Amino acid sequence: MATMTHDMAAQRLKSGLILAVLSASSFGLSGPLARGLMNAGWSAASVVAIRVLVAAAVLVPIALAQLHREWHLLRRNAFLITAYGLVAVAGTQLAYFNAVAQMEVGVALLIEYTAPIAVVGWLWLRHRQRPGAATVAGAALGITGLFLVIDLRSGMTTSWVGLAWALAAMVGAAGYFVLSAQGDGTLPGTVLAAGGLLIGGLGLLAAGALGIVPLHATTNPVVFQSFTVAWWPPVLALGTVTAALAYVSGIAATRLLGSRLASFVALFEVLAALVFAWALLGEAPRLIQLLGGALILVGVVVVRRGELSATAAPVAEFGPEGQVLDDAARR
């Protein structure tokens, strides 16, 4: 029995890690694609709105099939879906794309992805989940890597407006990981993603109609580092790959891994974004940034080993946040 429980926990961890890396890689493509569209005359809000609405159009039919007309699930989880749409989808992405418009993609993303520290703090204060030594050590390595990648001593111009938007994106990203792990297990992840994307997109359109955020787009060609394309391929890729695929796999990963570990594995998005920004925008990473990226990877591995050790307990069970429950919590 103990061996079976351990094998199930190990399989859960493996599946969650694969999905988390897939989600992070997909999300990492969004910044460079969005920068190309904004350089072609799109506003940040327009990029976010079209991205999430295209993703919603892809996912809503799938979500409706999964619901099997059990509409009570939507009523029961209405607050979760709404919060996910406004905070995790619209708020986070709007803040991130506004940051990207003011500063380098890699730097904006790295500031956003100090979110794991906020997640650890939230779970500690709200759910009494005190981080273990491995989590603390991994966090220290990851944050050190972030500072190296930002490389503020390189003479790079820092936009304080961009910094403020990036910090707002960090708060939203922390909310994304916490909200993705919520629910009683009856609401499919695709339904949460589809509902959140639809609400987020409609919310942005409403904000644009009221003049709260500028909404404008063009049909100008989109110029990248080595090639130029029409406006619609980046839009299609933003909606299907960097939103539909990224959010569904991210929710599934967070439900398997829990908010804490999933938020650290998501730091892979930083490395993916650096690679995509290099390929599409010509923003080549410096040597110190590569060193920082290596430290981020080491930090993720340390946190993962700590979580793996926690799941090795023969009577381990998982709580609503995907965390391992001890005997006292189970009672």
Side-chain angles (χ1 to χ4, degrees):
M1 180 65 180
T3 301
M4 182 180 299
T5 303
H6 178 266
D7 289 343
M8 291 176 61
Q11 182 59 43
R12 180 189 182 102
L13 183 64
K14 179 181 178 180
S15 299
L17 289 172
I18 292 173
L19 287 168
V21 172
L22 174 62
S23 178
S25 301
S26 302
F27 273 127
L29 180 59
S30 65
L33 289 178
R35 169 71 75 79
L37 286 168
M38 287 186 286
N39 289 344
W42 289 59
S43 67
S46 295
V47 174
V48 179
I50 194 67
R51 175 181 181 236
V52 299
L53 288 175
V54 168
V58 172
L59 294 179
V60 165
I62 302 173
L64 292 175
Q66 288 188 339
L67 276 175
H68 297 298
R69 298 184 179 180
E70 296 184 21
W71 308 115
H72 66 280
L73 293 177
L74 296 179
R75 293 192 298 270
R76 183 189 304 169
N77 295 278
F79 177 80
L80 172 61
I81 295 172
T82 302
Y84 189 86
L86 297 180
V87 176
V89 176
T92 303
Q93 292 305 302
L94 181 60
Y96 171 55
F97 287 156
N98 273 309
V100 165
Q102 302 286 335
M103 61 203 314
E104 290 185 5
V105 170
V107 176
L109 192 62
L110 286 162
I111 295 172
E112 177 185 351
Y113 268 80
T114 56
I117 304 303
V119 172
V120 169
W122 169 258
L123 294 179
W124 190 355
L125 294 175
R126 180 67 176 83
H127 298 286
R128 305 288 180 88
Q129 296 178 26
R130 184 173 182 175
T135 299
V136 173
L141 288 171
I143 295 303
T144 300
L146 291 176
F147 277 109
L148 291 179
V149 177
I150 293 173
D151 190 17
L152 294 177
R153 297 184 302 173
S154 66
M156 178 184 61
T157 301
T158 301
S159 166
W160 293 107
V161 174
L163 179 61
W165 279 116
L167 289 173
M170 180 272 289
V171 174
Y176 160 78
F177 291 112
V178 172
L179 290 170
S180 293
Q182 297 298 313
D184 56 8
T186 60
L187 185 71
T190 302
V191 177
L192 174 59
L197 288 164
L198 185 60
I199 289 174
L202 294 177
L204 282 169
L205 291 181
L210 295 173
I212 298 174
V213 296
L215 286 178
H216 53 82
T218 72
T219 57
N220 296 334
V222 180
V223 180
F224 292 106
Q225 172 72 4
S226 302
F227 59 94
T228 300
V229 297
W231 63 272
W232 61 267
V235 167
L236 187 61
L238 275 171
T240 57
V241 177
T242 77
L245 176 62
Y247 278 105
V248 170
S249 57
I251 291 171
T254 305
R255 289 181 172 182
L256 289 170
L257 301 176
S259 301
R260 183 167 55 204
L261 179 56
S263 67
F264 279 95
V265 179
L267 289 175
F268 278 104
E269 181 182 341
V270 174
L271 303 182
L274 286 175
V275 172
F276 287 130
W278 187 2
L280 297 179
L281 304 176
E283 296 179 357
R286 292 173 287 277
L287 180 60
I288 193 170
Q289 290 180 303
L290 295 177
L291 175 60
L295 283 179
I296 290 172
L297 289 176
V298 172
V300 170
V301 170
V302 171
V303 174
R304 176 195 176 280
R305 289 180 65 86
E307 296 290 324
L308 183 61
S309 297
T311 60
V315 292
E317 294 179 11
F318 292 93
E321 289 279 349
Q323 76 278 13
V324 178
L325 299 178
D326 57 20
D327 290 335
R330 282 195 294 272
R331 288 194 293 270

